[in-house]
Amino acid sequence: MNKILKIGAAIFAIAVCGIIIETGIVNSNYAKKVTDSVDKYEKKIAEIEKSLENDKKKDDNEDQENVLIANEYQIKDTTKISDAYKNGNDEGLDDNEKETLKLASDILKDIIKDDMSDFDKEKEIYKWIINNVPHGSGTAEEVATPLGVMKGKKAVCVGYATTFRLLANMVGIECKVMHDTGLGHSWDLCKLEDDWYITDCYMDAEGAPYASFNMTDRQAREGHDWDSRLFPKAEGTKYSYAIMNAKNVDDALKISKKIAKENNKEDNIFYLSYVVKQNDKKNTYKTNYILTGIQSRMGYESAEISSFKFGDSTYFIFAKKKPYDEGMDGNQTDTTFDAEKYDKILDKNFGKVESYDDTDSYDGAVG
């Protein structure tokens, strides 16, 4: 009899016993025996329920990292390789694993120093990946494995995630590969000291550097979706890049001044923090209005403003987008295009564009 049937039988027994006691069919001595039996069945039910719960946890946590992404790219376990590096012994590795170990060891030799903290090591690994590996297509072995990525210098999300995990594990940093609920994207989850942080090298390799580096759950949820039961919570703040580097702003109007000033610099990304107290509707509306106005004027093609809440503060991330490369597929900017000419025609036929007074168009975390 399986566990579900046992629970059903126990519940039925309790119900029958209850009816017997309530209707007074038996004497008090027998009733006591029945009551003892009920207690025994209740304890048994509790044990079975706990066992079922543990089984579910086991099923949920069973190798959630090494799954198939996009029905094409298998996330493969690289623990043998990272262990071989730490133990200084490559016995037991096949030829591909040995080549992977050699390439990864050479990279770490160039970028990692003995006196570095885990955070500094993680940052150097991240920098190497986003600066040396652009997005690319190819076979799964070429773009979705650490060996293919380190040799060919191109990757899909699985290639970024598994390469980052391998290098982090090799230097002693606990790192896992996460995936979305639809199994269409993957990224990393790193543990520094006692806290977890989320990093997506794929997003930053051709986006704004550090925009997706060491994110909290709240920050990552702005662009990622996952089953929170399967992975540790990323709630660390000490090494959260956005929180570490945020410049405090004490007035909503200063947000626009700061962004205008920083936009003229060469940096691709900067962070602001601003306290918007809960239920402060007036300040919330003003802040959203200003941010929507900035985004509307700059356009999503050149920059993007995102935000997330932490405590009483809202953190704003201003990320400049990289221009399209020459010959790159996609919608490229045509510098000879006379937008004003076409805007006049569109305005004449359809009316002018409405003012951006709908603050709901800014989908941030304010309020």
Side-chain angles (χ1 to χ4, degrees), residues 305-339:
I305 304 170
S306 59
S307 62
F308 67 97
K309 291 277 289 183
F310 181 75
D312 286 334
S313 294
T314 296
Y315 289 84
F316 302 103
I317 303 167
F318 177 85
K320 297 179 187 177
K321 294 186 177 179
K322 291 181 181 179
Y324 286 106
D325 294 334
E326 290 288 336
M328 182 179 177
D329 292 337
N331 298 319
Q332 301 180 37
T333 301
D334 182 357
T335 56
T336 65
F337 182 74
D338 188 353

Side-chain angles (χ1 to χ4, degrees), residues 256 259 285-300 305 355-359 361-362:
S256 64
I259 290 178
Y285 185 88
K286 179 171 68 173
T287 305
N288 281 336
Y289 187 89
I290 290 169
L291 290 169
T292 302
I294 295 169
Q295 185 72 81
S296 298
R297 286 166 169 77
M298 297 193 67
Y300 284 94
I305 304 170
S355 175
Y356 61 89
D357 57 2
D358 180 7
T359 56
S361 62
Y362 172 72

Side-chain angles (χ1 to χ4, degrees), residues 135-323:
H135 295 179
S137 59
T139 66
E141 289 299 319
E142 291 171 339
V143 297
T145 67
L147 178 58
V149 170
M150 290 185 290
K151 287 176 68 175
K153 300 296 191 300
K154 59 181 180 178
V156 294
C157 65
V158 172
Y160 285 103
T162 53
T163 303
F164 184 87
R165 179 184 64 179
L166 172 64
L167 295 173
N169 287 163
M170 287 172 70
V171 298
I173 299 172
E174 188 174 354
C175 184
K176 300 175 180 291
V177 175
M178 296 179 69
H179 57 77
D180 62 354
T181 53
L183 295 177
H185 185 49
S186 60
W187 59 93
D188 292 287
L189 181 69
C190 259
K191 189 176 186 180
L192 298 174
E193 296 179 9
D194 295 324
D195 295 312
W196 292 91
Y197 302 85
I198 292 171
T199 292
D200 191 337
C201 295
Y202 174 84
M203 297 296 291
D204 290 357
E206 296 193 4
Y210 300 104
S212 305
F213 177 64
N214 278 8
M215 300 182 287
T216 63
D217 272 358
R218 283 206 171 191
Q219 182 184 351
R221 285 286 183 189
E222 292 296 312
H224 299 73
D225 177 44
W226 66 93
D227 186 340
S228 59
R229 298 172 301 173
L230 305 182
F231 305 101
K233 291 183 178 179
E235 297 179 331
T237 57
K238 183 177 180 179
Y239 299 111
S240 165
Y241 208 73
I243 294 175
M244 288 171 66
N245 293 280
K247 298 177 181 178
N248 183 258
V249 179
D250 57 12
D251 183 84
L253 281 175
K254 291 182 181 179
I255 294 174
S256 64
K257 294 178 181 178
K258 281 279 188 182
I259 290 178
K261 181 180 178 181
E262 297 291 338
N263 188 42
N264 292 323
K265 297 181 180 179
E266 293 184 0
D267 294 341
N268 286 315
I269 192 164
F270 65 91
Y271 308 89
L272 300 175
S273 66
Y274 176 57
V275 175
V276 183
K277 292 183 179 179
Q278 195 171 7
N279 298 323
D280 186 351
K281 293 183 179 180
K282 184 176 180 181
N283 213 13
T284 296
Y285 185 88
K286 179 171 68 173
T287 305
N288 281 336
Y289 187 89
I290 290 169
L291 290 169
T292 302
I294 295 169
Q295 185 72 81
S296 298
R297 286 166 169 77
M298 297 193 67
Y300 284 94
E301 294 79 13
S302 59
E304 185 171 355
I305 304 170
S306 59
S307 62
F308 67 97
K309 291 277 289 183
F310 181 75
D312 286 334
S313 294
T314 296
Y315 289 84
F316 302 103
I317 303 167
F318 177 85
K320 297 179 187 177
K321 294 186 177 179
K322 291 181 181 179

Side-chain angles (χ1 to χ4, degrees), residues 78-87 101 166 169-170:
T78 54
T79 305
K80 283 175 62 179
I81 301 171
S82 55
D83 284 349
Y85 177 84
K86 288 182 282 188
N87 297 331
L101 176 62
L166 172 64
N169 287 163
M170 287 172 70

